[in-house]
Amino acid sequence: MRSRTVVFKRMATVLTASLLFICVLGTSLGAAQYRLTFWNMPFVTQEVSPDYVLLWQNDAKTALPDYVIDDYYGPGKYKDQRDRFLLQARTGIPDVIEGLIEDMAVYVNNGIIEPLDSYFAEWADGDQFVESTLEPLKIDGKLYGIPYNTNARALIYRKDVLEQYGLSVPKTWDELIETARAITEKSNKQIFGFFVCTEIGDPRATQEFITWYFQVSDRNNPFIVSTVDGERVVEVTATVDQLEKVLDLYKQLYEGPFPACDPNLRGTGWPTEDPGYVAGKFAMAPMGPWLWGRRAEGATAKDILENRSALTRIPYPKDGVPATYLEVKPIMMNAFSKNKTAAWDLIKYITSKEKMAQWLVDSGGIPARVDSLQMEIFDEAGIRWWIDGFAAELPIAVAMAPINWGPVNEANLRAVNYVIYNQMTPREAAEWLINEYHELNRQGTL
Amino acid sequence: MNRKNAYLLIIPALAIMCAFTVYPLAEGIRLSFTNASMLRPTYRYIGLGNFKQMINDRVFWLALRHSVVLTVIVVLLQLVLGLILAWAMKQEVPGMAAFRSVIMASWVIPVAATVTIFKFMAQPDVGFINIILRSIGLDRLVRYWFGDPSTAFACIILLHLWRNVPFYGITFLAAMQTIPESLYESAEIDGASPLQSFWHITLPGISHMIMVMVTIHVLWTFNNFDFVYLATGGGPVDSTQVLPVYVYKQSWDRYAAGYGASIGTVMLLLLAVYFVIYLLIQKKGEYER
């Protein structure tokens, strides 16, 4: 009995000593190198090629020798990333997050991202950033993100398909529907003329919807945000007529024996749109420059993107104006990061002249820095025509108002689904949608 | 002294239950009376506001109807098909032992994989179902089966059946094997038909197991989230919307945690009522025996 007690005591001593050793070792290692966490969807979804991610990681070791950058880049979907960041930001992880401009207002309202004005003011590279890419990242005059990428949406189309069937590039909504239906018919549904995202919760579906909306609203947002007596006030400015026009477009895209869009792909989003286009399933789609990154998917994708595609302005209604969604991708700092100096160093690295250029050469995109855009690697990679095509649309691009877009986007796409599944007429869906806008505003959700 | 020790011994278990069951449950009920949102750091109590909103929420009623219909249809079909399968597996046919092992594969495969396989099979262009339909000249039926409001709900039912019927079959078979063979022999001597034997011997013999399976599966199916969320997300246009998915969507798409919690509370009450009815029936059964 006594010998057993002695054994237990010895075991407990050894165990305690081991634990202490591990703790001391862990603390000393941790103190030497801070582990930075960076959530960045494009590194997960292969919008950026895996080869580039490896290169980025290796270069980061040299550029930021005092830190270790975790190679987990988040859940890989903007929605999941947003949900998890809202839940866990206060733990300090991730230190830095890439995201959608639409989510920024939500993060600011929750106080989980850091204003970067003081950091940015002291950065010598600050004057290289294009002012129009910084402006949308300001809320109440404070800068909450550093832009690494901007783009406007354009219509990508298969020039070989249009040529084969003797069709012209569409300029108006009517021409778009007519041309797309003709392609569907002439190819006997082997190629559908057009693709538009209609999945509820899909960020691209949201951006496409708002593009059509800006075209019918004279480039005005459906909401205006102002400050009255120190209080933030949101006003709904969208009208039933405007929304009905947009919803009617969706309806027409899925109508007829040879519809412009594949009815079997109703309710799908960008994970169908991007691979579908580079696989030759659709002849036209509203698109941003990231698609360039899909050349790596195979010979067909590379051929379609490099030799068979061209860019043009997204068609707009006869009584509307040319307009498109302006995207600015921010890199943001967690307000609860345990090492904000390290987080800022990482942001500077991500948005440095070379790194921004290399990233966007690999994945497509317009750099937010003048010196990056001027680098020769864009010409060497043969991507200049691609970037210029999207850059040409920047003058007609509109930034979304700084509100909580999540529930609005959900309502927009719900209305789209009511229409494309014939549950409501465009008018009924527009009336339902405007009521939702007002209800969300009344609840203070926006 | 013994009683004191007994109480001391159950304290750890009680503490764990309080931390992981009672507290989340109470917290969920408390939240259902607030306007809590993931988008606001603060919230306030709004009394029955969420429940009043629910009364006018068309999608809530639709989801409730779907949940009830799905539970009734799925549990009934699983019961009937499970009984047929168990009866078939009881027959002494060559290869039956191997069949019994293979059939459980659907239960072993993770739900996410099951849904992925079915979604792939339902694809309009490369999906197995549509290839078969085209090959037999039924092109007009070709569609994305999970993307069509008229077929999506049936596909969800099919997913449940594919996964659970073999489990029912094996469970009922195990119960059937406990019934003494002599009862069947006596019935045969008395001139009972196989159907009569099944009705008067087999069914009463496995009735307890049937009760257990139905009870568990009513709870599982009513609370099932993964099949619907992974397969359709409740769409298209809410044609497969069920309460667990709607709770999630309210909490994470609209970030309306308070409203989501109030729907969860309603689900809890509905299942509590079901459970009370079940206990009363069981008690009555025991009394009659």
Side-chain angles (χ1 to χ4, degrees):
Chain A
M1 187 68 187
R2 198 180 160 191
S3 65
R4 192 184 288 177
T5 312
V6 171
V7 169
F8 276 136
K9 277 184 180 171
R10 282 181 184 164
M11 277 174 66
T13 311
V14 171
L15 200 67
T16 311
S18 308
L19 282 171
L20 274 171
F21 177 72
I22 289 166
C23 286
V24 170
L25 190 73
T27 312
S28 60
L29 283 175
Q33 283 193 306
Y34 180 74
R35 180 171 283 274
L36 274 162
T37 43
F38 173 37
W39 284 6
N40 177 27
M41 196 203 76
F43 276 17
V44 184
T45 60
Q46 299 195 7
E47 262 182 48
V48 181
S49 70
D51 288 344
Y52 177 73
V53 177
L54 281 176
L55 177 78
W56 187 92
Q57 286 169 338
N58 285 330
D59 288 355
K61 284 176 191 161
T62 315
L64 303 167
D66 295 338
Y67 315 119
V68 173
I69 300 171
D70 198 294
D71 63 0
Y72 172 70
Y73 297 106
K77 274 181 88 175
Y78 279 126
K79 188 191 172 313
D80 295 346
Q81 187 170 286
R82 179 178 62 232
D83 293 349
R84 286 178 58 181
F85 188 55
L86 281 168
L87 272 183
Q88 70 170 72
R90 282 172 172 76
T91 66
I93 294 174
D95 296 281
V96 175
I97 183 167
E98 184 262 4
L100 295 170
I101 191 171
E102 294 95 291
D103 294 337
M104 191 176 258
V106 175
Y107 297 157
V108 171
N109 284 346
N110 278 266
I112 55 176
I113 54 172
E114 182 81 1
L116 299 174
D117 302 83
S118 56
Y119 298 93
F120 191 70
E122 287 174 16
W123 190 19
D125 288 12
D127 56 2
Q128 289 295 335
F129 284 82
V130 180
E131 187 54 36
S132 63
T133 65
L134 292 168
E135 202 52 42
L137 305 186
K138 290 177 183 170
I139 295 178
D140 291 336
K142 288 182 185 165
L143 181 69
Y144 283 95
I146 304 298
Y148 76 94
N149 170 2
T150 183
N151 71 71
R153 299 299 150 83
L155 182 79
I156 189 167
Y157 66 94
R158 289 280 301 274
K159 54 187 180 187
D160 58 331
V161 173
L162 262 63
E163 207 174 290
Q164 184 187 347
Y165 297 132
L167 299 164
S168 305
V169 179
K171 288 187 169 53
T172 65
W173 284 5
D174 292 342
E175 288 172 13
L176 173 71
I177 293 162
E178 200 180 311
T179 309
R181 283 179 182 166
I183 293 168
T184 307
E185 184 174 5
K186 285 172 192 285
S187 69
N188 196 24
K189 296 186 180 175
Q190 292 305 300
I191 302 175
F192 275 83
F194 191 59
F195 184 90
V196 65
C197 295
T198 51
E199 182 182 353
I200 297 171
D202 181 71
R204 194 83 60 76
T206 294
Q207 296 158 5
E208 290 171 2
F209 182 94
I210 205 73
T211 290
W212 310 125
Y213 179 81
F214 286 145
Q215 294 180 345
V216 300
S217 67
D218 207 17
R219 295 186 199 137
N220 286 310
N221 260 278
F223 305 93
I224 291 178
V225 183
S226 56
T227 307
V228 178
D229 299 331
E231 286 281 306
R232 180 176 173 272
V233 177
V234 178
E235 187 190 342
V236 179
T237 53
T239 66
V240 173
D241 289 342
Q242 289 167 345
L243 294 171
E244 184 188 6
K245 274 186 194 171
V246 173
L247 293 166
D248 190 53
L249 171 68
Y250 281 92
K251 184 177 174 59
Q252 289 190 60
L253 288 170
Y254 289 95
E255 275 182 346
F258 294 98
C261 296
D262 185 351
N264 280 319
L265 298 180
R266 283 178 294 185
T268 59
W270 71 265
T272 304
E273 185 174 44
D274 291 359
Y277 181 82
V278 297
K281 289 181 179 176
F282 327 120
M284 298 182 282
M287 192 53 68
W290 58 78
L291 195 70
W292 192 253
R294 295 222 171 235
R295 286 169 308 136
E297 281 184 6
T300 305
K302 189 173 165 64
D303 182 41
I304 285 177
L305 285 172
E306 290 186 355
N307 307 315
R308 296 171 186 272
S309 294
L311 298 170
T312 190
R313 180 153 290 175
I314 293 180
Y316 55 96
K318 272 180 199 157
D319 55 350
V321 294
T324 184
Y325 160 82
L326 173 71
E327 179 155 57
V328 179
K329 290 292 210 55
I331 305 288
M332 297 163 278
M333 186 196 292
N334 185 345
F336 297 89
S337 168
K338 291 188 173 67
N339 190 338
K340 288 182 184 168
T341 307
W344 175 242
D345 285 343
L346 178 58
I347 292 176
K348 282 197 293 184
Y349 170 69
I350 297 163
T351 57
S352 63
K353 175 187 169 188
E354 289 78 16
K355 278 291 148 255
M356 189 185 287
Q358 286 169 358
W359 181 334
L360 299 175
V361 161
D362 187 78
S363 67
I366 306 165
R369 291 175 64 129
V370 177
D371 53 358
S372 277
L373 186 60
Q374 288 166 348
M375 284 179 74
E376 284 182 1
I377 53 171
F378 288 97
D379 297 300
E380 288 161 8
I383 193 178
R384 184 67 71 182
W385 72 273
W386 179 262
I387 287 182
D388 288 348
F390 288 101
E393 302 307 299
L394 282 173
I396 59 156
V398 186
M400 287 164 83
I403 61 153
N404 167 27
W405 281 95
V408 175
N409 295 336
E410 201 243 338
N412 287 344
L413 268 297
R414 191 170 274 276
V416 167
N417 276 255
Y418 285 144
V419 168
I420 63 175
Y421 284 105
N422 300 316
Q423 308 270 316
M424 287 185 190
T425 64
R427 184 77 190 175
E428 288 166 349
E431 283 167 352
W432 174 86
L433 186 54
I434 207 91
N435 284 337
E436 283 288 294
Y437 285 179
H438 285 290
E439 182 59 22
L440 289 168
N441 198 22
R442 192 190 61 75
Q443 291 170 355
T445 312
L446 303 180
Chain B
M1 186 62 186
N2 278 343
R3 181 176 282 263
K4 193 182 167 190
N5 280 346
Y7 281 130
L8 280 173
L9 285 170
I10 61 167
I11 281 175
L14 277 177
I16 290 171
M17 271 193 68
C18 285
F20 294 104
T21 307
V22 180
Y23 173 73
L25 200 68
E27 183 66 5
I29 294 170
R30 188 182 68 80
L31 273 182
S32 68
F33 296 100
T34 71
N35 69 345
S37 164
M38 294 294 296
L39 305 172
R40 284 190 297 262
T42 56
Y43 58 84
R44 61 186 170 81
Y45 286 92
I46 54 167
L48 294 173
N50 286 327
F51 298 93
K52 283 180 193 161
Q53 184 186 337
M54 215 181 290
I55 290 168
N56 298 316
D57 183 349
R58 190 187 63 85
V59 182
F60 164 76
W61 290 107
L62 190 66
L64 175 61
R65 197 175 77 204
H66 285 158
S67 287
V68 172
V69 171
L70 183 75
T71 305
V72 170
I73 293 179
V74 162
V75 174
L76 265 179
L77 285 175
Q78 282 172 352
L79 179 64
V80 173
L81 296 173
L83 281 170
I84 294 170
L85 185 66
W87 179 81
M89 286 193 293
K90 200 164 171 266
Q91 310 310 307
E92 286 180 9
V93 180
M96 187 51 80
F99 177 72
R100 282 178 204 153
S101 310
V102 171
I103 204 167
M104 282 305 283
S106 68
W107 182 257
V108 177
I109 295 171
V111 171
T114 302
V115 174
T116 306
I117 292 166
F118 271 76
K119 281 178 85 170
F120 193 71
M121 287 198 305
Q123 287 292 315
D125 40 11
V126 294
F128 173 73
I129 299 166
N130 291 313
I131 289 172
I132 296 286
L133 287 172
R134 275 198 202 94
S135 69
I136 57 173
L138 291 173
D139 291 53
R140 68 195 161 79
L141 294 179
V142 169
R143 70 194 66 191
Y144 177 47
W145 292 83
F146 284 100
D148 187 324
S150 63
T151 56
F153 195 72
C155 289
I156 298 291
I157 292 174
L158 193 68
L159 277 171
H160 278 275
L161 296 182
W162 190 80
R163 182 171 168 82
N164 292 330
V165 167
F167 180 59
Y168 269 75
I170 294 288
T171 312
F172 289 155
L173 176 66
M176 283 176 187
Q177 283 169 339
T178 63
I179 300 170
E181 233 3 82
S182 57
L183 290 178
Y184 290 103
E185 286 164 7
S186 306
E188 201 177 341
I189 291 164
D190 291 343
S193 68
L195 192 67
Q196 284 172 317
S197 294
F198 181 79
W199 191 255
H200 294 289
I201 300 172
T202 309
L203 269 187
I206 63 168
S207 63
H208 188 69
M209 183 59 78
I210 290 175
M211 282 296 273
V212 171
M213 289 294 281
V214 167
T215 307
I216 291 172
H217 279 265
V218 164
L219 299 177
W220 281 0
T221 312
F222 194 80
N223 281 327
N224 183 268
F225 170 81
D226 41 16
F227 273 133
V228 173
Y229 187 74
L230 293 171
T232 62
V237 281
D238 297 318
S239 60
T240 59
Q241 193 67 266
V242 288
L243 286 178
V245 175
Y246 195 51
V247 169
Y248 179 85
K249 282 182 171 284
Q250 284 299 325
S251 305
W252 289 107
D253 287 353
R254 293 213 157 197
Y255 299 111
Y259 187 54
S262 67
I263 301 170
T265 304
V266 169
M267 287 177 68
L268 180 74
L269 287 174
L270 290 173
L271 288 176
V273 169
Y274 163 78
F275 209 68
V276 167
I277 295 170
Y278 163 77
L279 287 176
L280 289 174
I281 292 171
Q282 199 189 33
K283 213 166 186 178
K284 195 182 166 202
E286 279 170 10
Y287 179 75
E288 282 171 359
R289 253 181 268 148

